[in-house]
Amino acid sequence: MAAVEVEGLVKKFKATTALAGVDLAVPEGTVLGLLGPNGAGKTTVVRILSTLLRADSGTARIFGKDVIAHPNDVRSMIGLTGQYAAVDEYLTGQENLEMIGRLYHLTRSDARQRATTLLERFDLADAADRIAKTYSGGMRRRLDIAASLIARPRVLFLDEPTTGLDPRSRIGMWEFIGSLVAEGTTILLTTQYLEEADRLADGIVVIDHGKVIARGTSDQLKSQVGGHRLEFTVSDAADLPILRERVAPLAVDDPVVDEQARSLSVPVRGGAEVLRDALRRLDDSGVTLVDVGLRRPDLDDVFLILTGHASETSPGGASSGGASSGGASSDGASDGGAPVATGRHALKGADQ
Amino acid sequence: MTTLAQAVGDGAVITKRNLLKIKRVPELLVFATLSPIMFVLLFAFIFGSAIPLPGVDYKEFLMAGIFTQTVVFGSTITGASLAEDLQKGLIDRFRSLPMARSAVLVGRTNADIGNNIVTMFVMAVTGLLVGWRIRTSVLDALAAFGLLLLFAYAISWLMALVGLSVNSPEVVQNASFIIIFPLTFIANTFVPTDNFPPALKAFADWNPVSSVTLAARELFGNTSPALPPPDVWPAQHPVVYSLIWIVGILVIFVPLSVRKYESVAGR
Ligand SMILES: Nc1ncnc2c1ncn2[C@@H]1O[C@H](COP(=O)(O)OP(=O)(O)OP(=O)(O)O)[C@@H](O)[C@H]1O
Ligand SMILES: [Mg+2]
């Protein structure tokens, strides 16, 4: 039995369809990263799973307990950190945590002890006796996360847990999440940071407009987007045509030229050998290279390509690169890419 | 049985949390008590000189009315605080915990009894300083304060529903002023209803604010045979009539508010 099982979840808010049939499962002791652009429905999934919101149809179970039929059983197994920090500003950090602990029905001394431990763990020991109103945004965020951990939940929902944290706190949070998983906690986290999903998540589900458009491990998703790309930057934009001509035989799809950035990006097949080959082809071409590299797609590419939001980002390398690698994505999928994808791009790939 | 014990325990945790806020932001209570003090002084000295009543000093007549008006206004704190909790996402947090569904509202309304006790105490002292007297027994006076608190408690549950429905403390304040001002003025709070226009008099005589005020006034002994209550049932049985309203409001609004809490969404 999976820790979290969701089937056919549908939720409408008047005219808006927030969820249009979402299925997902999180095996016990693993981390699922729920990715999606703004308004995709991530928070709605989390709210339904944490019993705050009723779905219009579909089921959601936590360790076999239905969130609607047995809400209290579910609540005692879960911890929730919502998208916005929910701490009581008029209580101290210590009092906030003790209160939540008591409401999970820990004994007074357990609650106190857990509170102290967690405040230390989250670098808040010095501020433990200050009211939360005086906390900075990042401190509130950490206090909020500590509150969701007070009763050692078996399943933890984190809705954009590191939004608003500085890089040091973010890395600290990642380490902490890692240690929770090592202790057996199951985690479903939503995030806008692909690096975060890449680093933490065992499985990734990408949703957009309330539908799952791709799922798999981070590696599977990356290979679905396509293979490597050679990226060149030249010192003079006038060199771009000749550069393009010389490396054309290596391209497996249309190269992308960005005059403004004086760069060329070429989808290729193969690894480092292709790079050596490309450089050899440029011998005696007179092209002056400022930068050259072989890049594997990262989750940013996956995200942009799958959600089709590339064209909405600012013009430049990312935009044109994303649009063109849409073709590479189909290639990847028709190559028999492992991920089970149900989005339009994957379908396009499957049709070919 | 364990669920009942748990509900009581959870309610106590939330009550404590709300009372801590009074300690942390004492300004709230200071301003909540300053305005009734101001009311007592203004009415006693400005209107007191212009409103002669047969057989009873206006200052004495006035106090019960001001007590009632103040505790009714005090109950807007219930709605405003819940709206604030909702806005700040705290209600969402509480709703994700395995705690009793009633606890947040029970804890809120309990704490507001505390608010009202402090406010009434300050007002009573002010009143005594400017010449108000309790002419009955301590027990009668306690009964009067008890009735006022019960009435305030019932209105708190009504305000809880308002607070959970509007999601903004400012809206609660504004909306409740529109309702509470007429409710507490079209009544016997500041002047006898005898000379009201007929429609207003009928409203005033059946207004629970009037019956609570009259009950308190009689229990404090601030009445006079020269100033008999209107000849309508509520005025003849002010305590019973008040209790009927209190029970009625609680029976309707406790379940409605708890139901609302169960489905309410924060941000
Ligand atoms: N209470 C609500 N009333 C009306 N519409 C809502 C409500 N909650 C969510 N929605 C709508 O449902 C859709 C999904 O919202 P949701 O908050 O789940 O998105 P999200 O993926 O969490 O976005 P973000 O990354 O911005 O947090 C959006 O179009 C949103 O406007
Ligand atoms: Mg969200």
Side-chain angles (χ1 to χ4, degrees), chain A residues 13-14 16-19 36-45 47 53 83-84 159-160 190 192 207, chain B residues 265-267:
Chain A
F13 295 104
K14 299 199 180 87
T16 323
T17 301
L19 299 179
N38 289 143
K42 304 180 296 293
T43 298
T44 306
V45 170
R47 290 177 63 84
L53 195 65
Q83 187 165 359
Y84 306 95
D159 197 356
E160 303 195 16
T190 78
Q192 301 279 356
I207 62 174
Chain B
R267 317 179 248 203

PDB file of all heavy atoms in Angstrom, chain A residues 13-14 16-19 36-45 47 53 83-84 159-160 190 192 207, chain B residues 265-267, ligand 1:
ATOM      1  N   PHE A  13     -13.644  25.305  -9.042  1.00  0.00           N
ATOM      2  CA  PHE A  13     -14.067  26.489  -8.289  1.00  0.00           C
ATOM      3  C   PHE A  13     -14.892  27.327  -9.256  1.00  0.00           C
ATOM      4  O   PHE A  13     -14.343  27.964 -10.140  1.00  0.00           O
ATOM      5  CB  PHE A  13     -12.875  27.316  -7.833  1.00  0.00           C
ATOM      6  CG  PHE A  13     -11.993  26.616  -6.842  1.00  0.00           C
ATOM      7  CD1 PHE A  13     -10.774  26.090  -7.239  1.00  0.00           C
ATOM      8  CD2 PHE A  13     -12.381  26.493  -5.513  1.00  0.00           C
ATOM      9  CE1 PHE A  13      -9.950  25.466  -6.316  1.00  0.00           C
ATOM     10  CE2 PHE A  13     -11.554  25.869  -4.601  1.00  0.00           C
ATOM     11  CZ  PHE A  13     -10.336  25.348  -4.997  1.00  0.00           C
ATOM     12  N   LYS A  14     -16.194  27.297  -9.116  1.00  0.00           N
ATOM     13  CA  LYS A  14     -17.065  28.019 -10.054  1.00  0.00           C
ATOM     14  C   LYS A  14     -16.609  27.761 -11.490  1.00  0.00           C
ATOM     15  O   LYS A  14     -16.700  26.644 -11.964  1.00  0.00           O
ATOM     16  CB  LYS A  14     -17.072  29.518  -9.740  1.00  0.00           C
ATOM     17  CG  LYS A  14     -17.607  29.797  -8.347  1.00  0.00           C
ATOM     18  CD  LYS A  14     -18.051  31.245  -8.169  1.00  0.00           C
ATOM     19  CE  LYS A  14     -18.573  31.479  -6.759  1.00  0.00           C
ATOM     20  NZ  LYS A  14     -17.514  31.839  -5.811  1.00  0.00           N
ATOM     21  N   THR A  16     -13.528  27.986 -12.717  1.00  0.00           N
ATOM     22  CA  THR A  16     -12.171  27.458 -12.861  1.00  0.00           C
ATOM     23  C   THR A  16     -12.125  25.965 -12.574  1.00  0.00           C
ATOM     24  O   THR A  16     -12.633  25.521 -11.549  1.00  0.00           O
ATOM     25  CB  THR A  16     -11.230  28.130 -11.842  1.00  0.00           C
ATOM     26  OG1 THR A  16     -11.611  29.488 -11.711  1.00  0.00           O
ATOM     27  CG2 THR A  16      -9.788  28.002 -12.256  1.00  0.00           C
ATOM     28  N   THR A  17     -11.497  25.213 -13.450  1.00  0.00           N
ATOM     29  CA  THR A  17     -11.243  23.814 -13.145  1.00  0.00           C
ATOM     30  C   THR A  17      -9.827  23.729 -12.601  1.00  0.00           C
ATOM     31  O   THR A  17      -8.866  23.845 -13.354  1.00  0.00           O
ATOM     32  CB  THR A  17     -11.383  22.937 -14.397  1.00  0.00           C
ATOM     33  OG1 THR A  17     -12.709  23.100 -14.891  1.00  0.00           O
ATOM     34  CG2 THR A  17     -11.149  21.469 -14.064  1.00  0.00           C
ATOM     35  N   ALA A  18      -9.714  23.571 -11.281  1.00  0.00           N
ATOM     36  CA  ALA A  18      -8.390  23.545 -10.669  1.00  0.00           C
ATOM     37  C   ALA A  18      -7.736  22.188 -10.899  1.00  0.00           C
ATOM     38  O   ALA A  18      -6.541  22.100 -11.154  1.00  0.00           O
ATOM     39  CB  ALA A  18      -8.487  23.859  -9.184  1.00  0.00           C
ATOM     40  N   LEU A  19      -8.513  21.117 -10.779  1.00  0.00           N
ATOM     41  CA  LEU A  19      -7.994  19.769 -11.026  1.00  0.00           C
ATOM     42  C   LEU A  19      -8.952  19.048 -11.976  1.00  0.00           C
ATOM     43  O   LEU A  19     -10.158  19.051 -11.767  1.00  0.00           O
ATOM     44  CB  LEU A  19      -7.884  18.979  -9.725  1.00  0.00           C
ATOM     45  CG  LEU A  19      -6.965  19.546  -8.651  1.00  0.00           C
ATOM     46  CD1 LEU A  19      -6.984  18.662  -7.415  1.00  0.00           C
ATOM     47  CD2 LEU A  19      -5.544  19.696  -9.171  1.00  0.00           C
ATOM     48  N   GLY A  36       4.782  22.308 -11.318  1.00  0.00           N
ATOM     49  CA  GLY A  36       3.797  22.901 -12.210  1.00  0.00           C
ATOM     50  C   GLY A  36       3.870  24.403 -12.121  1.00  0.00           C
ATOM     51  O   GLY A  36       4.283  24.935 -11.097  1.00  0.00           O
ATOM     52  N   PRO A  37       3.465  25.083 -13.192  1.00  0.00           N
ATOM     53  CA  PRO A  37       3.513  26.547 -13.163  1.00  0.00           C
ATOM     54  C   PRO A  37       2.455  27.112 -12.226  1.00  0.00           C
ATOM     55  O   PRO A  37       1.641  26.369 -11.688  1.00  0.00           O
ATOM     56  CB  PRO A  37       3.211  26.932 -14.613  1.00  0.00           C
ATOM     57  CG  PRO A  37       2.480  25.778 -15.188  1.00  0.00           C
ATOM     58  CD  PRO A  37       2.956  24.562 -14.454  1.00  0.00           C
ATOM     59  N   ASN A  38       2.444  28.404 -12.042  1.00  0.00           N
ATOM     60  CA  ASN A  38       1.444  29.061 -11.188  1.00  0.00           C
ATOM     61  C   ASN A  38       0.043  28.690 -11.652  1.00  0.00           C
ATOM     62  O   ASN A  38      -0.253  28.703 -12.837  1.00  0.00           O
ATOM     63  CB  ASN A  38       1.578  30.584 -11.260  1.00  0.00           C
ATOM     64  CG  ASN A  38       2.835  31.084 -10.568  1.00  0.00           C
ATOM     65  OD1 ASN A  38       3.452  32.021 -11.027  1.00  0.00           O
ATOM     66  ND2 ASN A  38       3.220  30.472  -9.479  1.00  0.00           N
ATOM     67  N   GLY A  39      -0.787  28.331 -10.692  1.00  0.00           N
ATOM     68  CA  GLY A  39      -2.175  28.023 -11.024  1.00  0.00           C
ATOM     69  C   GLY A  39      -2.397  26.628 -11.570  1.00  0.00           C
ATOM     70  O   GLY A  39      -3.500  26.291 -11.991  1.00  0.00           O
ATOM     71  N   ALA A  40      -1.349  25.793 -11.545  1.00  0.00           N
ATOM     72  CA  ALA A  40      -1.475  24.448 -12.109  1.00  0.00           C
ATOM     73  C   ALA A  40      -2.406  23.568 -11.285  1.00  0.00           C
ATOM     74  O   ALA A  40      -3.042  22.656 -11.805  1.00  0.00           O
ATOM     75  CB  ALA A  40      -0.105  23.791 -12.209  1.00  0.00           C
ATOM     76  N   GLY A  41      -2.473  23.832  -9.987  1.00  0.00           N
ATOM     77  CA  GLY A  41      -3.317  23.013  -9.130  1.00  0.00           C
ATOM     78  C   GLY A  41      -2.547  22.317  -8.019  1.00  0.00           C
ATOM     79  O   GLY A  41      -3.098  21.473  -7.310  1.00  0.00           O
ATOM     80  N   LYS A  42      -1.292  22.687  -7.827  1.00  0.00           N
ATOM     81  CA  LYS A  42      -0.463  22.031  -6.807  1.00  0.00           C
ATOM     82  C   LYS A  42      -1.042  22.215  -5.408  1.00  0.00           C
ATOM     83  O   LYS A  42      -1.221  21.250  -4.658  1.00  0.00           O
ATOM     84  CB  LYS A  42       0.967  22.606  -6.841  1.00  0.00           C
ATOM     85  CG  LYS A  42       1.651  22.511  -8.176  1.00  0.00           C
ATOM     86  CD  LYS A  42       3.054  23.102  -8.139  1.00  0.00           C
ATOM     87  CE  LYS A  42       3.109  24.593  -7.840  1.00  0.00           C
ATOM     88  NZ  LYS A  42       2.532  25.442  -8.903  1.00  0.00           N
ATOM     89  N   THR A  43      -1.321  23.462  -5.068  1.00  0.00           N
ATOM     90  CA  THR A  43      -1.848  23.732  -3.730  1.00  0.00           C
ATOM     91  C   THR A  43      -3.195  23.044  -3.531  1.00  0.00           C
ATOM     92  O   THR A  43      -3.493  22.533  -2.444  1.00  0.00           O
ATOM     93  CB  THR A  43      -1.969  25.253  -3.504  1.00  0.00           C
ATOM     94  OG1 THR A  43      -0.661  25.823  -3.587  1.00  0.00           O
ATOM     95  CG2 THR A  43      -2.569  25.569  -2.150  1.00  0.00           C
ATOM     96  N   THR A  44      -3.986  23.005  -4.572  1.00  0.00           N
ATOM     97  CA  THR A  44      -5.289  22.344  -4.470  1.00  0.00           C
ATOM     98  C   THR A  44      -5.112  20.861  -4.128  1.00  0.00           C
ATOM     99  O   THR A  44      -5.831  20.326  -3.273  1.00  0.00           O
ATOM    100  CB  THR A  44      -6.072  22.527  -5.783  1.00  0.00           C
ATOM    101  OG1 THR A  44      -6.140  23.922  -6.086  1.00  0.00           O
ATOM    102  CG2 THR A  44      -7.476  21.980  -5.662  1.00  0.00           C
ATOM    103  N   VAL A  45      -4.157  20.195  -4.754  1.00  0.00           N
ATOM    104  CA  VAL A  45      -3.889  18.783  -4.429  1.00  0.00           C
ATOM    105  C   VAL A  45      -3.518  18.661  -2.952  1.00  0.00           C
ATOM    106  O   VAL A  45      -4.056  17.815  -2.225  1.00  0.00           O
ATOM    107  CB  VAL A  45      -2.749  18.210  -5.309  1.00  0.00           C
ATOM    108  CG1 VAL A  45      -2.313  16.845  -4.801  1.00  0.00           C
ATOM    109  CG2 VAL A  45      -3.194  18.125  -6.768  1.00  0.00           C
ATOM    110  N   ARG A  47      -4.166  20.669  -0.484  1.00  0.00           N
ATOM    111  CA  ARG A  47      -5.285  20.982   0.414  1.00  0.00           C
ATOM    112  C   ARG A  47      -6.286  19.839   0.496  1.00  0.00           C
ATOM    113  O   ARG A  47      -6.850  19.581   1.558  1.00  0.00           O
ATOM    114  CB  ARG A  47      -5.987  22.272  -0.031  1.00  0.00           C
ATOM    115  CG  ARG A  47      -5.134  23.527   0.206  1.00  0.00           C
ATOM    116  CD  ARG A  47      -5.816  24.791  -0.296  1.00  0.00           C
ATOM    117  NE  ARG A  47      -7.058  25.059   0.419  1.00  0.00           N
ATOM    118  CZ  ARG A  47      -7.137  25.687   1.591  1.00  0.00           C
ATOM    119  NH1 ARG A  47      -6.035  26.122   2.159  1.00  0.00           N
ATOM    120  NH2 ARG A  47      -8.280  25.872   2.173  1.00  0.00           N
ATOM    121  N   LEU A  53      -9.891  20.608   2.020  1.00  0.00           N
ATOM    122  CA  LEU A  53     -10.772  20.885   0.896  1.00  0.00           C
ATOM    123  C   LEU A  53     -11.341  19.556   0.419  1.00  0.00           C
ATOM    124  O   LEU A  53     -10.652  18.538   0.439  1.00  0.00           O
ATOM    125  CB  LEU A  53      -9.915  21.524  -0.217  1.00  0.00           C
ATOM    126  CG  LEU A  53     -10.582  22.223  -1.369  1.00  0.00           C
ATOM    127  CD1 LEU A  53     -11.325  23.445  -0.867  1.00  0.00           C
ATOM    128  CD2 LEU A  53      -9.509  22.670  -2.368  1.00  0.00           C
ATOM    129  N   GLN A  83       1.454  26.870   1.775  1.00  0.00           N
ATOM    130  CA  GLN A  83       2.269  27.740   0.927  1.00  0.00           C
ATOM    131  C   GLN A  83       2.666  29.026   1.654  1.00  0.00           C
ATOM    132  O   GLN A  83       3.713  29.593   1.401  1.00  0.00           O
ATOM    133  CB  GLN A  83       1.492  28.058  -0.357  1.00  0.00           C
ATOM    134  CG  GLN A  83       2.317  28.825  -1.372  1.00  0.00           C
ATOM    135  CD  GLN A  83       1.677  28.805  -2.754  1.00  0.00           C
ATOM    136  OE1 GLN A  83       0.634  28.207  -2.971  1.00  0.00           O
ATOM    137  NE2 GLN A  83       2.314  29.452  -3.700  1.00  0.00           N
ATOM    138  N   TYR A  84       1.785  29.500   2.570  1.00  0.00           N
ATOM    139  CA  TYR A  84       2.113  30.709   3.315  1.00  0.00           C
ATOM    140  C   TYR A  84       2.269  30.347   4.781  1.00  0.00           C
ATOM    141  O   TYR A  84       1.469  29.591   5.313  1.00  0.00           O
ATOM    142  CB  TYR A  84       1.001  31.740   3.149  1.00  0.00           C
ATOM    143  CG  TYR A  84       0.703  32.021   1.715  1.00  0.00           C
ATOM    144  CD1 TYR A  84      -0.320  31.355   1.064  1.00  0.00           C
ATOM    145  CD2 TYR A  84       1.480  32.931   0.994  1.00  0.00           C
ATOM    146  CE1 TYR A  84      -0.585  31.597  -0.281  1.00  0.00           C
ATOM    147  CE2 TYR A  84       1.221  33.172  -0.337  1.00  0.00           C
ATOM    148  CZ  TYR A  84       0.187  32.505  -0.976  1.00  0.00           C
ATOM    149  OH  TYR A  84      -0.065  32.749  -2.302  1.00  0.00           O
ATOM    150  N   ASP A 159       4.201  22.572   0.883  1.00  0.00           N
ATOM    151  CA  ASP A 159       3.809  23.358  -0.286  1.00  0.00           C
ATOM    152  C   ASP A 159       4.809  24.494  -0.454  1.00  0.00           C
ATOM    153  O   ASP A 159       4.784  25.465   0.292  1.00  0.00           O
ATOM    154  CB  ASP A 159       2.383  23.885  -0.089  1.00  0.00           C
ATOM    155  CG  ASP A 159       1.743  24.341  -1.390  1.00  0.00           C
ATOM    156  OD1 ASP A 159       2.438  24.323  -2.428  1.00  0.00           O
ATOM    157  OD2 ASP A 159       0.552  24.704  -1.373  1.00  0.00           O
ATOM    158  N   GLU A 160       5.688  24.341  -1.410  1.00  0.00           N
ATOM    159  CA  GLU A 160       6.766  25.301  -1.663  1.00  0.00           C
ATOM    160  C   GLU A 160       7.528  25.640  -0.375  1.00  0.00           C
ATOM    161  O   GLU A 160       7.563  26.798   0.048  1.00  0.00           O
ATOM    162  CB  GLU A 160       6.204  26.561  -2.321  1.00  0.00           C
ATOM    163  CG  GLU A 160       5.476  26.228  -3.608  1.00  0.00           C
ATOM    164  CD  GLU A 160       5.211  27.425  -4.495  1.00  0.00           C
ATOM    165  OE1 GLU A 160       5.835  28.481  -4.281  1.00  0.00           O
ATOM    166  OE2 GLU A 160       4.396  27.292  -5.416  1.00  0.00           O
ATOM    167  N   THR A 190       5.676  20.376  -3.161  1.00  0.00           N
ATOM    168  CA  THR A 190       5.503  21.122  -4.396  1.00  0.00           C
ATOM    169  C   THR A 190       6.629  22.134  -4.427  1.00  0.00           C
ATOM    170  O   THR A 190       7.141  22.534  -3.395  1.00  0.00           O
ATOM    171  CB  THR A 190       4.177  21.899  -4.442  1.00  0.00           C
ATOM    172  OG1 THR A 190       4.304  23.085  -3.655  1.00  0.00           O
ATOM    173  CG2 THR A 190       3.027  21.062  -3.917  1.00  0.00           C
ATOM    174  N   GLN A 192       8.719  25.311  -7.033  1.00  0.00           N
ATOM    175  CA  GLN A 192       8.968  26.017  -8.286  1.00  0.00           C
ATOM    176  C   GLN A 192      10.435  25.833  -8.672  1.00  0.00           C
ATOM    177  O   GLN A 192      10.817  26.133  -9.781  1.00  0.00           O
ATOM    178  CB  GLN A 192       8.704  27.523  -8.118  1.00  0.00           C
ATOM    179  CG  GLN A 192       7.315  27.875  -7.697  1.00  0.00           C
ATOM    180  CD  GLN A 192       6.346  27.878  -8.861  1.00  0.00           C
ATOM    181  OE1 GLN A 192       6.751  27.690 -10.003  1.00  0.00           O
ATOM    182  NE2 GLN A 192       5.083  28.070  -8.577  1.00  0.00           N
ATOM    183  N   ILE A 207       2.304  18.813 -13.297  1.00  0.00           N
ATOM    184  CA  ILE A 207       0.914  19.086 -13.662  1.00  0.00           C
ATOM    185  C   ILE A 207       0.794  20.476 -14.265  1.00  0.00           C
ATOM    186  O   ILE A 207       1.613  21.361 -14.000  1.00  0.00           O
ATOM    187  CB  ILE A 207      -0.077  18.945 -12.471  1.00  0.00           C
ATOM    188  CG1 ILE A 207       0.237  19.933 -11.353  1.00  0.00           C
ATOM    189  CG2 ILE A 207      -0.114  17.536 -11.953  1.00  0.00           C
ATOM    190  CD1 ILE A 207      -0.808  19.914 -10.248  1.00  0.00           C
TER     191      ILE A 207
ATOM    192  N   ALA B 265     -12.466  28.049   4.029  1.00  0.00           N
ATOM    193  CA  ALA B 265     -11.160  28.029   3.382  1.00  0.00           C
ATOM    194  C   ALA B 265     -10.432  29.313   3.686  1.00  0.00           C
ATOM    195  O   ALA B 265     -11.017  30.384   3.678  1.00  0.00           O
ATOM    196  CB  ALA B 265     -11.319  27.870   1.879  1.00  0.00           C
ATOM    197  N   GLY B 266      -9.156  29.176   4.002  1.00  0.00           N
ATOM    198  CA  GLY B 266      -8.339  30.361   4.257  1.00  0.00           C
ATOM    199  C   GLY B 266      -7.995  31.039   2.947  1.00  0.00           C
ATOM    200  O   GLY B 266      -8.858  31.250   2.115  1.00  0.00           O
ATOM    201  N   ARG B 267      -6.714  31.319   2.762  1.00  0.00           N
ATOM    202  CA  ARG B 267      -6.393  32.060   1.545  1.00  0.00           C
ATOM    203  C   ARG B 267      -6.388  31.158   0.339  1.00  0.00           C
ATOM    204  O   ARG B 267      -6.094  30.029   0.411  1.00  0.00           O
ATOM    205  CB  ARG B 267      -4.984  32.636   1.667  1.00  0.00           C
ATOM    206  CG  ARG B 267      -4.779  33.203   3.015  1.00  0.00           C
ATOM    207  CD  ARG B 267      -3.403  33.725   3.103  1.00  0.00           C
ATOM    208  NE  ARG B 267      -2.608  32.939   4.009  1.00  0.00           N
ATOM    209  CZ  ARG B 267      -1.529  33.411   4.606  1.00  0.00           C
ATOM    210  NH1 ARG B 267      -1.130  34.602   4.356  1.00  0.00           N
ATOM    211  NH2 ARG B 267      -0.846  32.669   5.440  1.00  0.00           N
TER     212      ARG B 267
HETATM  213  N1  LIG C   1     -10.597  29.099  -3.260  1.00  0.00           N
HETATM  214  C1  LIG C   1     -10.521  29.246  -4.597  1.00  0.00           C
HETATM  215  N2  LIG C   1     -11.491  29.879  -5.269  1.00  0.00           N
HETATM  216  C2  LIG C   1     -11.425  30.024  -6.609  1.00  0.00           C
HETATM  217  N3  LIG C   1     -10.430  29.569  -7.371  1.00  0.00           N
HETATM  218  C3  LIG C   1      -9.425  28.931  -6.759  1.00  0.00           C
HETATM  219  C4  LIG C   1      -9.414  28.734  -5.348  1.00  0.00           C
HETATM  220  N4  LIG C   1      -8.279  28.071  -5.016  1.00  0.00           N
HETATM  221  C5  LIG C   1      -7.631  27.866  -6.179  1.00  0.00           C
HETATM  222  N5  LIG C   1      -8.304  28.372  -7.224  1.00  0.00           N
HETATM  223  C6  LIG C   1      -7.904  28.298  -8.645  1.00  0.00           C
HETATM  224  O1  LIG C   1      -7.532  26.973  -8.936  1.00  0.00           O
HETATM  225  C7  LIG C   1      -6.384  26.941  -9.768  1.00  0.00           C
HETATM  226  C8  LIG C   1      -5.292  26.132  -9.100  1.00  0.00           C
HETATM  227  O2  LIG C   1      -4.830  26.843  -7.964  1.00  0.00           O
HETATM  228  P1  LIG C   1      -3.671  26.322  -7.028  1.00  0.00           P
HETATM  229  O3  LIG C   1      -3.584  27.253  -5.881  1.00  0.00           O
HETATM  230  O4  LIG C   1      -3.896  24.898  -6.727  1.00  0.00           O
HETATM  231  O5  LIG C   1      -2.406  26.486  -7.964  1.00  0.00           O
HETATM  232  P2  LIG C   1      -0.862  26.248  -7.630  1.00  0.00           P
HETATM  233  O6  LIG C   1      -0.367  25.226  -8.579  1.00  0.00           O
HETATM  234  O7  LIG C   1      -0.668  25.986  -6.199  1.00  0.00           O
HETATM  235  O8  LIG C   1      -0.255  27.668  -8.043  1.00  0.00           O
HETATM  236  P3  LIG C   1       0.974  28.505  -7.384  1.00  0.00           P
HETATM  237  O9  LIG C   1       2.221  27.984  -7.960  1.00  0.00           O
HETATM  238  O10 LIG C   1       0.694  29.890  -7.862  1.00  0.00           O
HETATM  239  O11 LIG C   1       0.873  28.372  -5.902  1.00  0.00           O
HETATM  240  C9  LIG C   1      -6.015  28.383 -10.022  1.00  0.00           C
HETATM  241  O12 LIG C   1      -6.556  28.749 -11.281  1.00  0.00           O
HETATM  242  C10 LIG C   1      -6.683  29.137  -8.915  1.00  0.00           C
HETATM  243  O13 LIG C   1      -7.046  30.430  -9.344  1.00  0.00           O
END
